[in-house]
């Protein structure tokens, strides 16, 4: 086994947005040069809520196209579909028997996603973090790049791996480390700086999709909520209530790979209307080439299917080795 191995995944549930890009995919791209990387379309996670099969099929290919358009190289990484590597589901069952109900009951994402009607949520939505642990552990991943909202799931994965190792008196599973970008761990909605930018948010004005046109980007930035104060260093103070202002500064900084402090210095004393013009230009410069490439990749579905098929085979080779070992350790003959 190599010493540094990365696994991460994104659910193919719709168009990916700036939060997914800055919080996760940008890191995937950086890591491809230094690590052996497995990047997965988490399609089994996508069916924990009801989805239309035709839409799911379409979204799987869209998300694969987005990975490639953002700069993930299929020759350097293993890009694959979770549902096509059976060992994920097999390990998930075994880990279901390791994880404790009390641990799952603490998961905040389930509480948020299930909302007030928990009894009607699927069992899959509840056990979702266990499948996620299986995704990671089946590759013995050492590092997992994710946005901050997945941190709790990563901690659960570490607890499951540790309990397995203790229960079976082995050091079989590698305990993975999360990689969470500091300043952009959570990109917020353009309409409400207290909510995260999300595919599931109703208003499309709340997010920049990676498929947005130049005009859409310009319009969304123009309409983004801000406040009437000029730009100054207080924006970053911990006790600030200027959530929207803070978010826009962080987006600019992250797109330009600079610190928020530096951006504030450059725009010190300027109004948000001036800043928004520069931000819109920067977003168009960074996002438009991605959106053009997504279109190109989507036009060649056969090529996308071929890339995934190849990735599925390679991922299966590694995953199958782990599940054989796990079964032996557990006593499944
Ligand atoms: P969504 O919440 O929009 O459905 P996913 O749950 O599929 O997105 O998230 C895919 C990846 O993108 C995860 O690593 C997640 O942490 C990251 N991510 C999602 N939304 C954001 C955000 N607003 N800011 C930073 N990272 C995000
Ligand atoms: N749960 C993650 C999300 O919604 C997606 C995911 C599934 C994942 N399996 C994973 C992320 C394994 C990292 C590692 O964003």
């Amino acid at each position: 086994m190599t010493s540094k191995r990365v696994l991460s995944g994104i659910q193919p549930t719709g168009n990916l947005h700036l939060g997914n890009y800055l919080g996760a995919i940008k890191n995937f791209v950086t890591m491809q040069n230094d690590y052996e990387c497995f990047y997965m379309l988490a399609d089994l996670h996508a069916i924990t809520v009801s989805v239309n099969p035709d839409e799911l099929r379409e979204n799987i290919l869209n998300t694969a196209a987005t990975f490639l358009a953002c700069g993930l190289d299929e020759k350097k990484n293993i890009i694959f579909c979770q549902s096509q590597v059976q060992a994920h589901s097999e390990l998930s069952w075994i880990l279901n028997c390791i994880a404790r109900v009390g641990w799952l009951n603490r998961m905040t994402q389930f509480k948020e996603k299930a909302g007030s009607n928990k009894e009607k949520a699927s069992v899959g939505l509840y056990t979702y973090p266990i499948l996620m642990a299986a995704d990671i552990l089946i590759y013995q991943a050492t590092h997992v790049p994710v946005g901050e909202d997945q941190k709790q799931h990563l901690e659960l994965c570490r607890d499951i791996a540790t309990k397995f190792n203790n229960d079976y008196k082995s050091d079989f599973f590698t305990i993975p480390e999360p990689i969470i970008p500091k300043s952009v761990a959570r990109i917020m909605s353009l309409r409400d700086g207290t909510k995260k930018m999300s595919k599931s948010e109703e208003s499309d004005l709340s997010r920049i999709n990676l498929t947005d046109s130049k005009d859409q980007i310009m319009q969304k930035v123009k309409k983004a909520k801000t406040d009437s104060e000029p730009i100054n260093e207080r924006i970053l103070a911990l006790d600030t209530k200027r959530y929207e202002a803070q978010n826009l500064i962080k987006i600019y900084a992250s797109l330009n790979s600079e610190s928020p402090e530096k951006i504030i210095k450059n725009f010190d004393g300027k109004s948000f209307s001036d800043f928004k013009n520069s931000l819109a230009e920067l977003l168009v410069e960074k996002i438009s080439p991605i959106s053009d490439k997504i279109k190109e990749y989507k036009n060649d579905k056969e090529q996308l299917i071929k890339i995934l098929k190849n990735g599925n085979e390679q991922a299966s080779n590694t995953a199958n080795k782990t599940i054989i070992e796990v079964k032996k350790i557990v006593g499944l003959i």
Side-chain angles (χ1 to χ4, degrees):
M1 201 187 83
T2 45
S3 56
K4 294 203 286 184
R5 186 180 274 170
V6 164
L7 175 289
S8 195
I10 292 197
Q11 297 184 63
T13 44
N15 281 333
L16 298 192
H17 52 74
L18 190 67
N20 299 132
Y21 179 64
L22 295 179
I25 306 177
K26 198 163 171 262
N27 250 346
F28 296 1
V29 178
T30 315
M31 296 181 99
Q32 69 182 344
N33 297 319
D34 300 321
Y35 294 74
E36 180 189 13
C37 299
F38 291 76
Y39 293 126
M40 173 189 86
L41 307 175
D43 52 356
L44 292 176
H45 279 111
I47 61 169
T48 54
V49 294
S50 69
V51 280
N52 171 298
D54 289 331
E55 270 175 34
L56 179 59
R57 264 186 284 272
E58 188 72 26
N59 278 333
I60 289 172
L61 295 183
N62 281 348
T63 308
T66 307
F67 275 12
L68 298 167
C70 287
L72 288 184
D73 181 342
E74 80 272 17
K75 297 200 177 70
K76 284 190 187 159
N77 308 290
I78 299 177
I79 300 174
F80 70 102
C81 239
Q82 181 188 35
S83 65
Q84 304 307 310
V85 180
Q86 283 137 21
H88 289 240
S89 306
E90 282 191 78
L91 180 60
S92 181
W93 178 258
I94 294 173
L95 300 184
N96 261 288
C97 302
I98 300 287
R100 306 290 94 180
V101 172
W103 298 356
L104 275 189
N105 285 343
R106 286 200 289 272
M107 297 296 114
T108 52
Q109 185 176 292
F110 174 74
K111 290 178 195 157
E112 277 161 25
K113 291 204 173 170
S116 54
N117 208 349
K118 276 208 219 56
E119 299 291 314
K120 290 270 164 67
S122 74
V123 175
L125 191 65
Y126 181 64
T127 57
Y128 173 122
I130 300 180
L131 176 60
M132 183 163 158
D135 298 334
I136 298 166
L137 300 179
I138 198 82
Y139 298 101
Q140 301 278 23
T142 52
H143 296 85
V144 184
V146 279
E148 197 189 30
D149 58 344
Q150 297 300 317
K151 194 172 168 206
Q152 196 185 31
H153 290 162
L154 251 295
E155 276 157 13
L156 181 86
C157 171
R158 289 166 60 90
D159 288 345
I160 293 174
T162 306
K163 184 169 189 313
F164 181 96
N165 287 350
N166 287 339
D167 285 359
Y168 292 102
K169 300 187 180 37
S170 76
D171 55 1
F172 182 72
F173 280 127
T174 306
I175 312 293
E177 293 291 335
I179 305 273
I180 299 175
K182 248 197 215 135
S183 67
V184 286
R186 204 176 276 249
I187 297 292
M188 309 314 269
S189 153
L190 300 181
R191 309 296 291 165
D192 177 350
T194 62
K195 277 194 192 156
K196 76 162 196 161
M197 187 178 282
S198 170
K199 288 175 225 156
S200 46
E201 178 64 40
E202 221 169 279
S203 164
D204 197 53
L205 286 174
S206 70
R207 64 186 158 257
I208 306 280
N209 301 305
L210 297 180
T211 48
D212 280 348
S213 67
K214 189 175 164 204
D215 288 347
Q216 282 170 312
I217 295 176
M218 296 285 204
Q219 197 209 16
K220 286 178 181 180
V221 175
K222 207 165 154 195
K223 293 205 165 162
K225 194 174 160 197
T226 42
D227 53 48
S228 52
E229 301 266 317
I231 294 179
N232 58 42
E233 63 190 12
R234 290 277 310 144
I235 291 178
L236 295 178
L238 283 178
D239 60 350
T240 188
K241 294 272 184 313
R242 300 179 68 186
Y243 304 115
E244 288 82 14
Q246 202 173 52
N247 190 39
L248 295 187
I249 297 284
K250 285 185 175 173
I251 290 176
Y252 192 106
S254 171
L255 282 169
N256 238 4
S257 301
E258 285 177 316
S259 70
E261 288 78 7
K262 168 116 192 285
I263 305 306
I264 291 194
K265 227 181 200 172
N266 293 350
F267 286 90
D268 194 28
K270 294 236 164 72
S271 70
F272 263 96
S273 57
D274 285 341
F275 176 75
K276 278 181 170 182
N277 290 334
S278 304
L279 177 62
E281 271 173 32
L282 181 63
L283 275 164
V284 168
E285 182 195 319
K286 301 283 183 187
I287 302 299
S288 290
I290 296 179
S291 102
D292 291 345
K293 281 196 198 134
I294 293 177
K295 276 190 214 123
E296 274 172 38
Y297 281 113
K298 269 167 68 175
N299 279 338
D300 195 349
K301 285 194 176 163
E302 269 175 33
Q303 168 72 356
L304 287 175
I305 291 169
K306 204 169 136 198
I307 290 174
L308 288 179
K309 226 176 142 203
N310 183 38
N312 297 339
E313 270 169 32
Q314 291 187 64
S316 295
N317 283 341
T318 305
N320 288 343
K321 290 189 186 121
T322 311
I323 197 71
I324 288 171
E325 289 304 312
V326 170
K327 284 183 183 168
K328 271 194 215 152
I329 292 172
V330 172
L332 295 167
I333 286 293

